[in-house]
Amino acid sequence: MSETLRSGNVTTKLQRIAELAREDRTRVLTSVAHVIDLDWVKEAYRRTRKDGAAGVDGCSAADYAKDLDANLMSLTERLRDGSYRPPPVRRAHIPKANGKTRPIGVPTFEDKIAQRAVAMLLEAIYEEDFHPTSYGFRPGRSAHQALVELQRRPTYWQRCWVIEADIQSFFDTLDHAQLRSFLDQRVRDGVIRRLVDKWLAAGVMERGCLGYPDSGTPQGGVISPLLANVYLHEVLDQWVRRDVWKRLKKRGDLVRYADDFVLLFEHEDDAKRVMAVLGKRFARFGLVLHPEKTRLLSFDSPGLRTTRAQRARSFDFLGFTHYWARSRRGRWVVKQRTAKDRLTRALACVKQRCREMLHSPVVSQHRRLSAMLRGHFNYYGITGNGDALRTVRHEAERIWGRLLTRRNGNRFAWRRFTPLLKRFPLPHPRPPRSVCPSEPAT
């Protein structure tokens, strides 16, 4: 079979690797690295984003492309003979809604290509193992599909209890020894495993200081989301499917997007029993559930007489607040709106962007602000969230207008700003994608 893998284009090789993994889900693959040839690395380059920030070497995608063929040939040879040495990642900090920052690792552009090449290989194997309850960073899956599931289950169950969970600093505390043991169950190819170990041990450059963390995998790395999915597949997904569901009195469901997840239960006792052991399960693998962000709540339909106050029956997940409301036909259904902290953060980003480009030409300001709003609308543009989208657009107009008038030394007035908006209108939210349940879930 290894000789078969050597021939054919990249798509054919990926299909054959997936077939090997699918034929026997307990099979350990020991010889797959030979598929990484020049064509494979070229495909990895094609799939790598070209607009990302530069790493510690300062080399951008445009710089790398100046001698692309020679660079890719050199990278291929180093990956195959084991001489590739990943440089340290550059650490940057992104502000969070709570005032804290999220550390992000920025690899060099060449390292992104190398990680993509290995991620393509591992993805072909593990996509045959991952459960449909996992939606994050997987081909053909998205956050909006997870939102559909979160709307459908409680709507048709009527009675529902929710465990809203948050893993504290997951990417920073992921245990390397545990991850290696999980990888051993499927992939023991020496070349691939040594490359993964090198990325886990690669240093982190922050403010001119080089450190070597003994746990975690940097957020921002190309291969990090896949390794996170492998880790939580064993810690959570497999445990829930193998041990939890068969002990429930009634139905349950799991919706996970990377390290964020929600557990749904139709029976209160089931939810309380799982809540009691969930923290212990994660502690076995070096993970801690956030004590303030992990909670159990009743999410029964208001149509039932025994329900509690509305404010006790809403939760946030993937940037949306999930709550009960009546549909146009008068039925109680689960709806979703932009979470307050995400709305506040979006407007703060608009204000910051307008300040940064205050002295740029109006045409340039309009183009950049429009792109920012379109990105927001693309994600949050779902059925029932129109009010929040219109609020963002209106506030963006107001923020932009105030800063423009300040640049001209005038007081803000809509009558003076309206003619400019007619020439440079900000985009409207596009027609929302529907996430309304169409038929009862089985």
Side-chain angles (χ1 to χ4, degrees), residues 13-25:
K13 292 177 181 177
L14 288 170
Q15 291 174 346
R16 290 170 181 166
I17 292 170
E19 289 173 3
L20 279 176
R22 191 184 310 121
E23 287 173 1
D24 184 358
R25 300 185 188 278

Side-chain angles (χ1 to χ4, degrees), residues 120-378:
M120 287 164 52
L121 176 58
L122 294 178
E123 187 178 83
I125 298 170
Y126 280 100
E127 275 301 309
E128 304 303 321
D129 297 345
F130 290 156
H131 297 309
T133 53
S134 171
Y135 293 89
F137 304 105
R138 295 181 57 191
R141 290 180 165 265
S142 68
H144 292 104
Q145 292 175 328
L147 293 173
V148 170
E149 185 70 8
L150 269 181
Q151 189 177 49
R152 175 184 296 152
R153 294 298 181 186
T155 296
Y156 290 112
W157 289 356
Q158 298 293 303
R159 292 194 178 276
C160 184
W161 283 76
V162 174
I163 294 179
E164 179 188 4
D166 181 87
I167 306 174
Q168 195 165 353
S169 302
F170 169 71
F171 283 91
D172 295 330
T173 58
L174 182 148
D175 186 87
H176 291 175
Q178 294 284 2
L179 176 60
R180 292 186 182 100
S181 69
F182 296 152
L183 291 171
D184 282 342
Q185 299 175 23
R186 272 308 233 169
V187 182
R188 294 183 189 171
D189 185 292
V191 174
I192 300 299
R193 294 299 301 275
R194 282 190 292 273
L195 282 170
V196 172
D197 286 342
K198 288 176 183 178
W199 282 312
L200 293 177
V204 176
M205 181 71 72
E206 184 173 10
R207 298 176 182 175
C209 298
L210 182 60
Y212 294 91
D214 55 4
S215 64
T217 177
Q219 285 183 267
V222 175
I223 203 170
S224 294
L226 177 58
L227 297 180
N229 274 335
V230 171
Y231 201 92
L232 289 176
H233 172 73
E234 296 293 334
V235 174
L236 180 64
D237 302 355
Q238 286 280 72
W239 172 67
V240 166
R241 177 172 288 245
R242 182 182 62 242
D243 299 329
V244 174
W245 290 159
K246 65 182 181 183
R247 292 180 170 86
L248 299 185
K249 296 179 181 179
K250 291 190 176 181
R251 291 174 291 186
D253 197 10
L254 165 67
V255 178
R256 181 174 68 82
Y257 190 92
D259 59 325
D260 296 325
F261 68 94
V262 170
L263 285 160
L264 309 175
F265 301 90
E266 198 175 8
H267 198 281
E268 179 180 356
D269 289 344
D270 294 335
K272 290 182 175 179
R273 286 189 291 122
V274 173
M275 185 67 177
V277 300
L278 189 62
K280 299 176 183 177
R281 172 67 182 180
F282 279 86
R284 284 183 54 192
F285 300 94
L287 302 176
V288 178
L289 295 179
H290 198 293
E292 298 177 359
K293 297 181 181 180
T294 301
R295 62 182 181 132
L296 172 65
L297 68 148
S298 169
F299 200 62
D300 290 346
S301 168
L304 302 175
R305 295 182 179 180
T306 58
T307 56
R308 304 179 183 181
Q310 172 64 34
R311 62 179 178 273
R313 295 194 315 280
S314 64
F315 64 95
D316 292 350
F317 186 67
L318 295 179
F320 290 87
T321 296
H322 305 258
Y323 66 101
W324 286 95
R326 288 192 182 275
S327 68
R328 292 183 178 180
R329 297 182 180 180
R331 294 192 307 115
W332 285 104
V333 298
V334 176
K335 291 191 175 183
Q336 296 146 334
R337 62 171 179 263
T338 307
K340 286 185 178 180
D341 61 334
R342 298 300 181 93
L343 188 62
T344 301
R345 186 170 69 182
L347 295 179
C349 290
V350 169
K351 182 177 291 188
Q352 180 64 28
R353 179 63 59 85
C354 288
R355 285 175 176 172
E356 292 173 353
M357 59 186 184
L358 181 60
H359 299 289
S360 300
V362 174
V363 175
S364 175
Q365 293 187 35
H366 174 258
R367 182 176 63 253
R368 293 173 63 187
L369 188 56
S370 296
M372 188 177 186
L373 290 177
R374 278 192 290 269
H376 181 87
F377 296 154
N378 284 343

Side-chain angles (χ1 to χ4, degrees), residues 16-63:
R16 290 170 181 166
I17 292 170
E19 289 173 3
L20 279 176
R22 191 184 310 121
E23 287 173 1
D24 184 358
R25 300 185 188 278
T26 64
R27 172 183 287 170
V28 179
L29 301 176
T30 59
S31 179
V32 288
H34 51 262
V35 301
I36 301 180
D37 55 13
L38 182 58
D39 289 338
W40 188 283
V41 175
K42 285 182 177 179
E43 176 63 16
Y45 169 79
R46 188 188 68 81
R47 297 188 185 189
T48 302
R49 286 183 55 181
K50 313 299 189 297
D51 57 349
V56 295
D57 61 355
C59 179
S60 65
D63 296 331

